[in-house]
Coordinates of all heavy atoms in Angstrom, one line a residue:
I176 N 138.0 44.1 125.4 CA 137.8 43.4 124.2 C 139.0 42.5 123.9 O 138.7 41.3 123.2 CB 137.8 44.5 123.1 CG1 136.7 45.5 123.1 CG2 137.9 44.0 121.7 CD1 135.3 44.6 122.8
L177 N 140.1 42.7 124.3 CA 141.2 41.8 124.1 C 141.0 40.5 124.9 O 141.3 39.4 124.3 CB 142.6 42.5 124.6 CG 143.8 41.8 124.4 CD1 144.1 41.7 122.8 CD2 144.9 42.4 125.2
E178 N 140.5 40.6 126.0 CA 140.1 39.3 126.7 C 139.1 38.5 126.1 O 139.1 37.4 126.0 CB 139.6 39.7 128.2 CG 140.7 40.4 129.1 CD 141.8 39.5 129.6 OE1 141.5 38.3 129.5 OE2 142.8 39.9 130.1
Y179 N 138.1 39.3 125.5 CA 137.0 38.7 124.8 C 137.4 37.9 123.6 O 137.1 36.7 123.5 CB 135.9 39.7 124.4 CG 135.0 39.2 123.3 CD1 133.9 38.3 123.5 CD2 135.2 39.6 122.0 CE1 133.0 37.9 122.5 CE2 134.4 39.2 121.0 CZ 133.3 38.4 121.2 OH 132.5 37.9 120.2
Q180 N 138.3 38.4 122.8 CA 138.7 37.8 121.5 C 139.7 36.8 121.8 O 139.7 35.6 121.1 CB 139.2 38.8 120.5 CG 140.6 39.5 120.9 CD 141.7 38.6 120.4 OE1 141.7 37.9 119.3 NE2 142.8 38.5 121.3
F181 N 140.4 36.9 122.9 CA 141.3 35.7 123.2 C 140.6 34.5 123.6 O 141.0 33.4 123.3 CB 142.2 36.2 124.5 CG 143.3 35.3 124.7 CD1 144.6 35.5 124.0 CD2 143.4 34.4 125.7 CE1 145.7 34.7 124.2 CE2 144.4 33.4 125.9 CZ 145.6 33.7 125.1
G182 N 139.6 34.7 124.5 CA 138.7 33.5 124.8 C 137.9 32.9 123.7 O 137.7 31.7 123.6
L183 N 137.6 33.7 122.7 CA 136.8 33.3 121.5 C 137.6 32.6 120.5 O 137.3 31.4 120.1 CB 136.2 34.5 120.8 CG 135.5 34.2 119.5 CD1 134.1 33.4 119.8 CD2 135.1 35.5 118.8
N184 N 139.0 33.0 120.2 CA 139.6 32.5 119.2 C 140.8 31.6 119.6 O 141.3 30.8 118.7 CB 140.3 33.7 118.4 CG 139.2 34.5 117.6 OD1 138.1 34.1 117.5 ND2 139.5 35.8 117.4
W185 N 141.2 31.7 120.8 CA 142.5 30.9 121.1 C 142.3 30.0 122.4 O 143.1 29.8 123.3 CB 143.6 32.0 121.4 CG 143.8 32.9 120.4 CD1 143.4 34.1 120.2 CD2 144.4 32.6 119.0 NE1 143.7 34.8 119.0 CE2 144.2 33.9 118.2 CE3 144.9 31.5 118.4 CZ2 144.7 33.8 116.9 CZ3 145.3 31.6 117.1 CH2 145.2 32.7 116.4
S186 N 141.1 29.3 122.5 CA 140.8 28.6 123.6 C 141.8 27.4 123.7 O 142.0 26.9 124.9 CB 139.4 28.0 123.5 OG 139.1 27.3 122.4
R187 N 142.2 26.8 122.6 CA 143.1 25.7 122.8 C 144.5 26.0 123.4 O 145.1 25.2 124.2 CB 143.3 25.1 121.3 CG 142.1 24.4 120.7 CD 142.4 23.8 119.4 NE 141.3 23.2 118.8 CZ 141.1 22.7 117.5 NH1 142.2 23.0 116.7 NH2 140.1 22.3 117.1
L188 N 144.9 27.2 123.1 CA 146.1 27.7 123.8 C 145.8 27.8 125.2 O 146.8 27.4 126.1 CB 146.5 29.1 123.2 CG 147.7 29.8 124.0 CD1 149.0 29.0 123.8 CD2 147.9 31.2 123.4
S189 N 144.7 28.2 125.7 CA 144.3 28.3 127.1 C 144.2 27.0 127.7 O 144.7 26.8 128.8 CB 143.0 29.0 127.3 OG 143.0 30.4 126.7
V190 N 143.7 25.9 127.0 CA 143.7 24.6 127.6 C 145.1 24.0 127.7 O 145.4 23.5 128.7 CB 142.9 23.7 126.6 CG1 142.9 22.3 127.0 CG2 141.4 24.2 126.6
Q191 N 146.0 24.2 126.6 CA 147.3 23.4 126.6 C 148.3 24.2 127.6 O 149.0 23.5 128.2 CB 147.7 23.4 125.3 CG 146.9 22.6 124.3 CD 146.7 21.2 124.6 OE1 145.7 20.7 125.2 NE2 147.8 20.3 124.5
A192 N 148.2 25.5 127.6 CA 149.2 26.2 128.4 C 148.7 27.0 129.5 O 149.3 27.8 130.2 CB 150.0 27.2 127.4
G193 N 147.4 26.8 129.8 CA 146.6 27.6 130.9 C 147.3 27.4 132.3 O 147.3 28.3 133.1
D194 N 147.8 26.3 132.6 CA 148.5 26.0 133.9 C 149.7 26.9 134.1 O 150.1 27.2 135.3 CB 148.9 24.6 134.1 CG 147.6 23.6 134.3 OD1 146.5 24.1 134.1 OD2 147.9 22.5 134.7
I195 N 150.2 27.5 133.1 CA 151.4 28.3 133.1 C 151.0 29.8 133.0 O 151.3 30.7 133.8 CB 152.5 27.9 132.2 CG1 153.1 26.7 132.6 CG2 153.6 29.0 132.1 CD1 154.2 26.1 131.7
L196 N 150.2 30.0 132.0 CA 149.8 31.4 131.6 C 148.8 31.9 132.6 O 148.7 33.1 132.9 CB 149.3 31.5 130.1 CG 150.3 31.1 129.0 CD1 149.7 31.2 127.7 CD2 151.6 31.9 129.2
G197 N 147.9 31.0 133.0 CA 146.9 31.5 133.9 C 147.3 32.2 135.2 O 146.9 33.2 135.6
P198 N 148.3 31.5 136.0 CA 148.8 32.1 137.2 C 149.5 33.4 136.9 O 149.5 34.4 137.7 CB 149.7 31.1 137.7 CG 149.2 29.8 137.2 CD 148.7 30.1 135.8
L199 N 150.3 33.5 135.8 CA 151.0 34.8 135.5 C 150.1 35.9 135.3 O 150.2 37.1 135.7 CB 151.9 34.5 134.2 CG 153.0 33.5 134.4 CD1 153.8 33.4 133.0 CD2 154.0 33.9 135.5
M200 N 148.9 35.6 134.6 CA 148.0 36.6 134.3 C 147.1 37.0 135.6 O 146.9 38.2 135.8 CB 146.9 36.2 133.3 CG 147.5 35.9 131.9 SD 148.6 37.1 131.2 CE 147.2 38.4 130.9
F201 N 147.0 36.0 136.5 CA 146.3 36.2 137.7 C 147.2 37.2 138.6 O 146.7 38.2 139.3 CB 146.2 34.9 138.5 CG 145.7 35.1 140.0 CD1 144.4 35.5 140.3 CD2 146.6 34.9 140.9 CE1 143.9 35.6 141.6 CE2 146.2 35.0 142.2 CZ 144.9 35.4 142.6
Y202 N 148.6 36.9 138.7 CA 149.4 37.8 139.5 C 149.5 39.2 139.0 O 149.5 40.2 139.7 CB 150.9 37.3 139.3 CG 151.0 36.0 140.0 CD1 151.9 35.0 139.5 CD2 150.4 35.6 141.2 CE1 152.1 33.8 140.2 CE2 150.5 34.4 141.9 CZ 151.4 33.4 141.3 OH 151.5 32.3 141.8
E203 N 149.3 39.4 137.5 CA 149.1 40.7 136.9 C 147.9 41.4 137.5 O 148.0 42.6 137.9 CB 149.1 40.5 135.5 CG 149.2 41.9 134.7 CD 147.8 42.4 134.3 OE1 146.8 41.7 134.3 OE2 147.7 43.7 134.3
V204 N 146.9 40.8 137.6 CA 145.5 41.4 138.1 C 145.6 41.7 139.6 O 145.4 42.7 140.0 CB 144.3 40.5 137.7 CG1 143.1 41.0 138.5 CG2 144.2 40.3 136.2
L205 N 146.2 40.7 140.4 CA 146.2 40.7 141.8 C 147.2 41.8 142.3 O 146.8 42.7 143.0 CB 146.6 39.4 142.4 CG 146.6 39.3 143.9 CD1 145.2 39.6 144.5 CD2 147.2 38.0 144.3
A206 N 148.4 41.9 141.7 CA 149.4 42.7 142.4 C 149.3 44.0 141.7 O 149.6 45.1 142.4 CB 150.8 42.1 142.1
A207 N 149.1 44.1 140.3 CA 149.1 45.4 139.7 C 147.8 46.1 139.6 O 147.7 47.4 139.8 CB 149.7 45.1 138.2
F208 N 146.8 45.4 139.1 CA 145.5 46.2 139.0 C 145.0 46.8 140.2 O 144.5 47.9 140.2 CB 144.5 45.2 138.4 CG 143.2 45.7 138.1 CD1 143.0 46.6 136.9 CD2 142.1 45.6 138.8 CE1 141.9 47.3 136.6 CE2 140.9 46.3 138.6 CZ 140.8 47.0 137.4

């Protein structure tokens, strides 16, 4: 649900800062999950 609402409400943050936040979240999924 958290992922859903983040994509729905905060897409401009994803566009502007995605090049930094995206890899960090990817490492969280890859290494930890």
Side-chain angles (χ1 to χ4, degrees):
I176 292 294
L177 187 64
E178 297 284 346
Y179 160 77
Q180 71 86 40
F181 193 86
L183 175 69
N184 296 336
W185 309 104
S186 59
R187 290 179 181 172
L188 175 63
S189 300
V190 171
Q191 298 300 105
D194 283 17
I195 291 177
L196 299 180
L199 297 178
M200 304 304 293
F201 170 76
Y202 295 143
E203 186 267 336
V204 173
L205 181 67
F208 183 76

